[in-house]
Amino acid sequence: MSTYQLEIRGLTCGHCVASVTEEISEIAGVTTVNVELNAGKEAVSVATVEADAEVSEAAFADAVDEAGYELVSVSA
Amino acid sequence: MSTYQLEIRGLTCGHCVASVTEEISEIAGVTTVNVELNAGKEAVSVATVEADAEVSEAAFADAVDEAGYELVSVSA
């Protein structure tokens, strides 16, 4: 089980949280996603992601981009 | 054909626009909804609504409330 902390820029509301949660949940191996919303176009929110397989930063970046936001950093 | 201008507080992103547009579109008589987003929790966006029947302010208020926002004013 791996846990990742993602910093994501640009979430402004609960709809944004739902959208990015859905995209991250679709990554192979991801089991849970919890987003703590810090609302604002330039604000950075933190997502805690648990996975039962290793997930690459590129996979997270693609998912966040797909939802329309910017992945600032990933730490394991 | 009636045209209404609604001031709506609290839309922060395109998801919010989609959500409130969907609720207003469900009001009987409403034919088109166009929202000009002024993003922000306290900011006021303007929706232009066309309808082929009269729509009460209460009906608009209910729809906006259902979407999770605040109807500030309606002008016909």
Side-chain angles (χ1 to χ4, degrees), chain B residues 39-72:
Chain B
K41 254 187 126 114
E42 298 304 324
V44 173
S45 296
V46 175
T48 303
V49 179
E50 292 191 349
D52 58 14
E54 214 170 308
V55 178
S56 69
E57 180 159 343
F60 283 129
D62 283 352
V64 171
D65 183 69
E66 186 66 30
Y69 308 101
E70 182 196 345
L71 181 63
V72 176

Side-chain angles (χ1 to χ4, degrees), chain A residues 12-13 15-16 19 39 41 67 69, chain B residues 12-13 15-16 19 39 41 67 69:
Chain A
T12 65
C13 69
H15 300 120
C16 298
S19 174
K41 254 187 126 115
Y69 308 101
Chain B
T12 66
C13 70
H15 300 118
C16 298
S19 173
K41 254 187 126 114
Y69 308 101

Side-chain angles (χ1 to χ4, degrees), chain A:
Chain A
M1 173 78 82
S2 308
T3 302
Y4 300 91
Q5 298 268 344
L6 280 60
E7 290 188 320
I8 301 168
R9 181 177 286 127
L11 307 181
T12 65
C13 69
H15 300 120
C16 298
V17 171
S19 174
V20 80
T21 297
E22 186 183 337
E23 291 295 338
I24 294 171
S25 298
E26 286 174 3
I27 299 171
V30 167
T31 53
T32 65
V33 181
N34 280 293
V35 178
E36 197 171 321
L37 176 63
N38 178 22
K41 254 187 126 115
E42 298 305 323
V44 173
S45 295
V46 175
T48 304
V49 179
E50 294 191 346
D52 57 15
E54 214 171 307
V55 179
S56 69
E57 179 159 344
F60 282 130
D62 284 351
V64 171
D65 183 67
E66 186 66 31
Y69 308 101
E70 182 196 346
L71 181 63
V72 177
S73 72
V74 178
S75 54

